[in-house]
Amino acid sequence: MAGVRDEDAAASFAPLRPKLMRVAYRMLGSVADAEDAVQEAFIRWMRADRSEVREPEAFLRRTVTRLCLDQLKSARRQRETYVGPWLPDPVMEEEEEEDVTLPLMLALERLSPLERAAFLLHDVFGLGFEEVAATIQRDPAACRQLAARARTHVREARPRFQVEKQRSLELAEAFFNASRSGDMRALGAMLAADVSIHADGGGKRSAAMQPIFGFDAVMEVHENLAAQFQNYGSKFVRAGFVNGLPGFITLEADGELQTTALEIEDGKVAAIYVVRNPDKLRHLH
């Protein structure tokens, strides 16, 4: 009978796994950690008295959120010792995800774990404050305050400029071609005056140790990189949306993948996010 019960648990869990992964990834910014949280929730689901659970989705969402809250406490300590800028693991999608873009995920990093949970559950996933309260084990009034504080912190990170999908992907491909070929005139025409680069190598691969700000500084970086690309190459793998932003995956000279995501404002590239840390790219192979 245990085998049958296990099959029932797996069958009821499987359709909910993608939704639970969305919650866990947006809480943690790490694909591997999100997978671990969802897998632990599955183990708990297997052990639970499921006949007592009226709403499996709500039960599992609460379980995953609480596991993520525990994980965030240790993640904060890890971030303090992280080498260079930290970016969330790149998630590549064919369609644009507008609910939580990369800039918003970075803004979420500045929130307390409870603020992050309240904001995501209410503002992003649309849960009522009664359900948020039951999930994070605070009263509804406290959850309203947590979400309001979070909203104030992340307001500037919400997308303000909508770019038509095909146009944004064309911009990403044009950026790749100009930056790799050394066409600095074409590249410069794409960049905003206050453009920035944020590169995450995690101490595993070369990357700038601090963000780089301003048109001239960003152009200088790309002029230097273009010389390297001429000698060693950088192979375009595919375009798509990286954490909700237009971007692309490349195969670099060292045989490792790299993702580039572009934040576009008023038709110009306002920020460039590059993930080079191989630990964050394994799921893309």
Side-chain angles (χ1 to χ4, degrees):
M1 287 300 293
V4 173
R5 288 197 300 272
D6 288 352
E7 285 179 17
D8 290 344
S12 58
F13 187 88
L16 299 174
R17 186 181 285 272
K19 290 183 179 180
L20 298 173
M21 268 299 294
R22 282 173 65 81
V23 173
Y25 171 72
R26 282 156 175 71
M27 282 285 288
L28 300 173
S30 162
V31 171
D33 289 346
E35 287 173 343
D36 288 346
V38 171
Q39 189 59 27
E40 177 60 28
F42 175 60
I43 292 167
R44 295 187 184 192
W45 180 238
M46 298 270 281
R47 294 173 182 161
D49 182 356
R50 294 184 296 281
S51 64
E52 295 292 310
V53 179
R54 288 204 310 271
E55 297 182 42
E57 183 173 346
F59 172 89
L60 287 164
R61 186 172 50 237
R62 290 175 192 175
T63 303
V64 165
T65 302
R66 289 170 189 168
L67 288 166
C68 290
L69 286 170
D70 290 340
Q71 172 65 22
L72 280 173
K73 292 167 191 170
S74 62
R76 291 203 153 214
R77 289 194 293 273
Q78 293 166 14
R79 304 274 159 81
E80 287 168 7
T81 58
Y82 195 81
V83 178
W86 179 92
L87 294 176
D89 290 8
V91 172
M92 192 83 173
E93 293 162 308
E94 298 304 318
E95 294 298 324
E96 191 173 4
E97 285 289 343
E98 294 182 359
D99 60 354
V100 182
T101 60
L102 198 156
L104 182 54
M105 290 193 75
L106 291 174
L108 292 177
E109 285 294 304
R110 299 195 291 270
L111 305 180
S112 74
L114 287 174
E115 286 171 342
R116 186 169 182 152
F119 175 81
L120 285 169
L121 293 173
H122 180 265
D123 286 40
V124 175
F125 294 109
L127 302 186
F129 281 116
E130 294 290 336
E131 174 61 18
V132 176
T135 301
I136 67 175
Q137 299 172 309
R138 296 291 188 278
D139 65 61
C143 292
R144 280 191 178 85
Q145 287 186 319
L146 288 165
R149 282 206 302 270
R151 225 170 278 131
T152 301
H153 284 297
V154 304
R155 189 173 290 130
E156 286 303 305
R158 286 292 205 178
R160 290 166 288 164
F161 304 93
Q162 292 300 317
V163 184
E164 191 268 324
K165 174 189 171 183
Q166 192 55 41
R167 171 63 182 147
S168 66
L169 293 178
E170 287 170 0
L171 264 173
E173 196 157 347
F175 180 92
F176 168 83
N177 290 330
S179 62
R180 270 43 177 195
S181 68
D183 187 346
M184 292 297 112
R185 184 188 293 260
L187 184 68
M190 296 180 210
L191 303 182
D194 58 352
V195 65
S196 58
I197 302 176
H198 310 259
D200 181 342
K204 308 287 179 73
R205 294 168 75 196
S206 61
M209 294 298 290
Q210 298 291 335
I212 296 163
F213 295 97
F215 181 90
D216 291 341
V218 169
M219 285 294 287
E220 184 179 349
V221 166
H222 280 95
E223 283 179 26
N224 293 332
L225 286 173
Q228 296 177 32
F229 293 138
Q230 297 302 309
N231 293 326
Y232 303 111
S234 174
K235 184 180 177 184
F236 187 88
V237 176
R238 64 187 169 102
F241 291 93
V242 182
N243 300 105
L245 299 182
F248 48 85
I249 303 174
T250 50
L251 182 65
E252 298 302 313
D254 59 2
E256 296 280 1
L257 293 178
Q258 172 176 304
T259 60
T260 302
L262 305 175
E263 186 178 356
I264 298 170
E265 295 184 358
D266 279 343
K268 298 279 190 179
V269 176
I272 304 159
Y273 300 95
V274 180
V275 175
R276 290 175 53 77
N277 184 344
D279 296 343
K280 296 187 174 189
L281 300 162
R282 288 176 183 151
H283 62 282
L284 296 176
H285 285 273

